[in-house]
Amino acid sequence: MSHSEYILGTRGSALALTQSRLAAESVTELYAEHQPGGEPAESVSFELRTVKTEGDVLTGPLATLGGTGVFAAALRQRLLDGADAPAEQRVDMAVHSLKDLPSAPCPGLVVAATLKREDPRDALVARDGLTVDTLPEGSRVGTGSPRRAAQLRALRPDLEIVDIRGNVGTRIGRVKGLEEHSGKQVVLRQNAETDEHADRGVGTERLGDCDAVVLAVSGLKRLGKEHLITEYLDPSRMLPAPGQGALALEVRESEFGNPDPAALDDAEVARPTRSLGRALIAANHYETRLAVSAERALLRRLEAGCAAPIGAFAEIVEGDLVLSAMVASPDGTDLLRHTSATSELDVPGAERLGVRVAEDLLQMGAAALAGLDVK
């Protein structure tokens, strides 16, 4: 049996490391399972290599720092450097939280696989087991997301929304009674794990100053902190970010003879050039790819990043792909929701659904409502 090892680029945070390891294990195992016969003909494995991104060192609200792309740019550049990069900086694949990846394609790169989606919902982590409905009037709720802030204000106009940043532990530490979660984080430095005090990070100068924070269920589950959730926020109340809960595995287009995203579910059509491409085709979760293709096509048509209060969630229901979307004014005083479906269960059909829902929202006044710069 032949074996190939590839370099997986990752941020050094606890969540990024966890997600990168999950992706590496999933690709390795699924590739072995999908090969015909008893003994696989080839196998793959991954070495993790840390890349510091601009989002790890800049301070201030994410919406003013370049939005979603702030965490992806450095990883993408390492991929694009390809064979020209020094051996110690070479990266063959990057793992992204799909909600943090810009919706516009990056020339030279392709999202070759989307792993099976984790729980896409948002969650409230509050003191004393409180929920959105039981938070006292005037409670302080932390979030760095304009989308979450707008929907919270629509649900509870009396709440005080606090802009926060930092890793998951740091954000949880802003909740009164949960300060100890901001104490330490596991990080990767020079490819070795260390305990590092999180008080070197953004937002740790204020602990216990909020009554609750809103975070993604997927991140909390992957870090083993699901027990801190006091309320799961159903998409009927709070639509998640497009792609939330999904991991995107990005590589150079040269891994495929035909890197068209619509072809990457079929090895004969995509024509992978190495075992890496073959392994990613095996690891791709088709239903997740359809759902996030619709969500991201909507986001792309609205030409919006994380600075705009937009939510979207797609899922297959009784044989149809159903997409629900939301656009709100930043203060949450006005909010549009729209749902549509398609029976076209392929990537082009999913993208057409996303564009159609976006066009419907624009006809309903979404651009003026959310201050979108739509051409």
Side-chain angles (χ1 to χ4, degrees), residues 78 194 265-266 280:
R78 286 287 187 91
T194 63
D265 299 300
D266 188 328
L280 291 174

Side-chain angles (χ1 to χ4, degrees), residues 77-100:
Q77 187 57 56
R78 286 287 187 91
L79 276 176
L80 288 168
D81 288 344
D84 296 330
E88 67 277 6
Q89 294 183 9
R90 182 171 59 86
V91 168
D92 298 301
M93 182 175 82
V95 177
H96 308 281
S97 292
L98 194 56
K99 71 180 181 65
D100 294 331

